[in-house]
Amino acid sequence: MKVVVTGGNGFIGLEICKTAVSQGFDVISISRRGYPDHKEAWMSGVNWVSANIFNTDRWTGYLTGADAVIHTIGILREKPDHNITFERLNGESVIVAASAAYTAQVPVFVMISASDAPPILKRYITAKREAESYLLEQKIRAVIMRPGLVYGEGRKGSEVIAALTRLGSRVPVIGTFPSKFSPVHVSILAKAVINSILNAHIQGIIQIHEIEKLGASLPQKEEIQ
Ligand SMILES: NC(=O)c1ccc[n+]([C@@H]2O[C@H](COP(=O)([O-])OP(=O)(O)OC[C@H]3O[C@@H](n4cnc5c(N)ncnc54)[C@H](OP(=O)(O)O)[C@@H]3O)[C@@H](O)[C@H]2O)c1
């Protein structure tokens, strides 16, 4: 199995790369900085390519023979002066990567989307939803993961926020907010992504509770063709 992870050196991308390496996959990461900020032994199992997703000439060559593209690029904070907006990073970047994957005949495209966003981040989620619609209209298999809050050691403070969100879900007066963002550990999301690639029947939108089920375990390496 050969997988290309866009944003592979980010919080979620890194865990997906690590899980894919543990399964014996060939893994290529595409991101502007290339290498992650720190070193761990498993990282030597990844080809860390430095390229901006919008400079397709720099990275689409790596799609040859790939079995899946996993797109994790996205932002929570905009920098309009640098043309870093929700529309461009959460929307257009998905379409650019998916179009390249389709041209290279990669059989499955996985997008890390999101369950929802607070009203102040309306454009964050609108851009994600527009990209999802584009993927669902295409003829190849698209898997759209919609996690709530993703937590793990790699994202400072996320474990505390996850604990508070879980606590909030037990207080009815807070409303539906906590359940909409029900936290998932990054390792479960990564396993769900790998399992979705391996199971050709999985496609379309995968909601929070389905991510939990899909990410419960991984197949034994010898079960993977
Ligand atoms: N974290 C959460 O709680 C959460 C919850 C729900 C959904 N999500 C979604 O999950 C995805 C990943 O989130 P994250 O928390 O892992 O984000 P992150 O840590 O900020 O990672 C983003 C990645 O995108 C890369 N990137 C950004 N702009 C790029 C560009 N122009 N070209 C190439 N690579 C680029 C970054 O690497 P470089 O800087 O090296 O380019 C980095 O690897 C996002 O789409 C986010 O909306 C996250």
Side-chain angles (χ1 to χ4, degrees):
M1 277 269 170
K2 172 180 169 181
V3 295
V4 175
V5 183
T6 64
N9 66 353
F11 169 51
I12 293 172
L14 205 55
E15 189 71 24
I16 292 172
C17 288
K18 184 179 179 181
T19 310
V21 167
S22 79
Q23 294 297 292
F25 293 5
D26 286 341
V27 185
I28 296 166
S29 163
I30 313 289
S31 72
R32 291 165 304 174
R33 286 168 299 146
Y35 282 92
D37 294 335
H38 67 284
K39 273 197 178 163
E40 290 179 36
W42 65 267
M43 290 174 181
S44 60
V46 178
N47 182 0
W48 302 100
V49 175
S50 169
N52 189 316
I53 199 73
F54 298 105
N55 294 342
T56 47
D57 292 353
R58 293 278 308 278
W59 65 273
T60 47
Y62 293 97
L63 295 175
T64 308
D67 296 290
V69 171
I70 304 157
H71 188 76
T72 78
I73 294 172
I75 51 160
L76 201 58
R77 221 171 299 144
E78 298 184 288
K79 291 184 194 155
D81 295 351
H82 295 87
N83 199 14
I84 296 178
T85 61
F86 292 136
E87 288 73 18
R88 191 151 165 80
L89 271 298
N90 293 357
E92 267 176 59
S93 82
V94 182
I95 295 169
V96 166
S99 310
Y102 302 150
T103 305
Q105 299 187 319
V106 180
V108 55
F109 185 88
V110 183
M111 171 192 178
I112 307 297
S113 187
S115 61
D116 208 338
I120 195 168
L121 291 174
K122 190 164 180 272
R123 285 177 37 249
Y124 165 97
I125 205 71
T126 303
K128 292 252 185 215
R129 294 291 178 263
E130 284 175 8
E132 290 181 1
S133 300
Y134 168 84
L135 294 181
L136 294 171
E137 281 163 12
Q138 309 307 307
K139 288 206 172 69
I140 77 157
R141 185 158 77 95
V143 179
I144 296 162
M145 295 284 171
R146 280 193 186 170
L149 174 74
V150 184
Y151 69 97
E153 244 179 69
R155 172 69 33 92
K156 250 193 185 164
S158 64
E159 286 159 316
V160 175
I161 298 171
L164 291 174
T165 310
R166 261 189 244 106
L167 204 65
S169 66
R170 297 198 200 123
V171 185
V173 78
I174 298 181
T176 55
F177 184 90
S179 62
K180 276 195 205 168
F181 300 101
S182 183
V184 63
H185 194 273
V186 67
S187 65
I188 292 184
L189 176 59
K191 283 185 216 154
V193 166
I194 299 302
N195 282 326
S196 75
I197 291 169
L198 295 172
N199 185 339
H201 299 297
I202 295 174
Q203 62 181 344
I205 293 165
I206 313 293
Q207 304 283 8
I208 299 177
H209 62 283
E210 295 169 289
I211 293 174
E212 291 279 358
K213 278 192 212 153
L214 198 54
S217 62
L218 282 172
Q220 297 297 310
K221 263 198 224 167
E222 47 278 14
E223 288 169 358
I224 301 171
Q225 292 169 356

